[in-house]
Amino acid sequence: RSSDLCRACSLDMPLLIDGRRVDLSSSVLELRDSHPCLLETARALTSKPAEIVEPKGLLYVQQREFAVTTPSDRSVSVLGSEDATTCHLLVVRHTGSGAVCLAHCDGSDTEDEVSMIMSCMNSFSNKLDGGRLELHLVGGFSDDRHLSQALTKQLVKLNDKVENSIHFPIIYGIAVNVQTAEIYNATFQEKGPEEDLRSARILTGG
């Protein structure tokens, strides 16, 4: 959940938006109203059609998984994930080393997941590199069961569309270019390796 994410991150570092420190006791609606750049960025991302990502150079991240790599990786040039409805896709990037993480979060053990993400990011980022961590959160919509709202409350409306009186997310998946740090709306032809085996872990509650 977004509240778990903020609480876990706040143990080690402040959260800044446009250089201004964020009061973590603020509601998501208050954050949205205080920082128009969040609306602008969300609208820019949701206005673009999904790009088809080819398998070459792709590392696909399934639900309850995350992956971390750097621009020096010769095998992986794109991190991607899809099928996020009430789930959220989290991107963390270190501006010094260029290390980037993509996580597909569903609200299970969020604090432990964030802790592991930060540990991996630190191991990929030399303190001598300087820089800061950038955080991007994509996903959720105004679903009837209000599962998304429990994660991001009012912000989910930015990724929401209505067809025949039924709510759907605009963006189901994203990709991150490891070299350029570009984040874009994406869909995937392949979701491997070992897609069935990795999916089985979720079905068994792992």
Side-chain angles (χ1 to χ4, degrees), residues 59-125:
L59 177 56
Y60 188 84
V61 178
Q62 294 200 18
Q63 186 174 337
R64 297 186 191 175
E65 292 183 344
F66 71 87
V68 181
T69 190
T70 68
S72 62
D73 191 327
R74 296 183 178 181
S75 300
V76 177
S77 57
V78 175
L79 298 178
S81 190
E82 198 175 21
D83 301 324
T85 51
T86 57
C87 293
H88 287 62
L89 304 176
L90 174 72
V91 177
V92 181
R93 179 176 177 270
H94 190 275
T95 60
S97 66
V100 61
C101 170
L102 173 61
H104 189 137
C105 306
D106 64 1
S108 302
D109 300 319
T110 304
E111 290 196 44
D112 288 341
E113 188 171 15
V114 169
S115 178
M116 288 188 289
I117 288 171
M118 297 310 301
S119 177
C120 287
M121 287 296 294
N122 288 334
S123 69
F124 275 80
S125 302

Side-chain angles (χ1 to χ4, degrees), residues 15-79:
L15 178 63
L16 306 176
I17 299 177
D18 273 357
R20 296 163 53 194
R21 185 164 184 165
V22 173
D23 180 0
L24 297 182
S25 65
S26 301
S27 69
V28 176
L29 182 58
E30 290 171 335
L31 289 179
R32 186 197 68 180
D33 292 342
S34 300
H35 302 278
C37 62
L38 297 177
L39 287 170
E40 295 169 5
T41 303
R43 286 171 178 152
L45 183 61
T46 55
S47 67
K48 298 178 181 178
E51 297 183 30
I52 298 176
V53 179
E54 300 293 333
K56 184 178 180 180
L58 168 67
L59 177 56
Y60 188 84
V61 178
Q62 294 200 18
Q63 186 174 337
R64 297 186 191 175
E65 292 183 344
F66 71 87
V68 181
T69 190
T70 68
S72 62
D73 191 327
R74 296 183 178 181
S75 300
V76 177
S77 57
V78 175
L79 298 178

Side-chain angles (χ1 to χ4, degrees), residues 140-187:
F141 72 111
S142 295
D143 62 287
D144 292 337
R145 292 185 296 165
H146 305 292
L147 298 175
S148 292
Q149 288 89 327
L151 290 171
T152 53
K153 299 180 182 178
Q154 298 296 326
L155 277 179
V156 298
K157 293 183 179 179
L158 300 173
N159 191 44
D160 184 75
K161 63 181 178 180
V162 181
E163 297 179 1
N164 298 322
S165 300
I166 300 175
H167 290 266
F168 296 93
I170 299 172
I171 293 179
Y172 286 88
I174 61 170
V176 185
N177 186 306
V178 178
Q179 300 294 328
T180 66
E182 178 191 6
I183 300 172
Y184 52 96
N185 187 3
T187 186

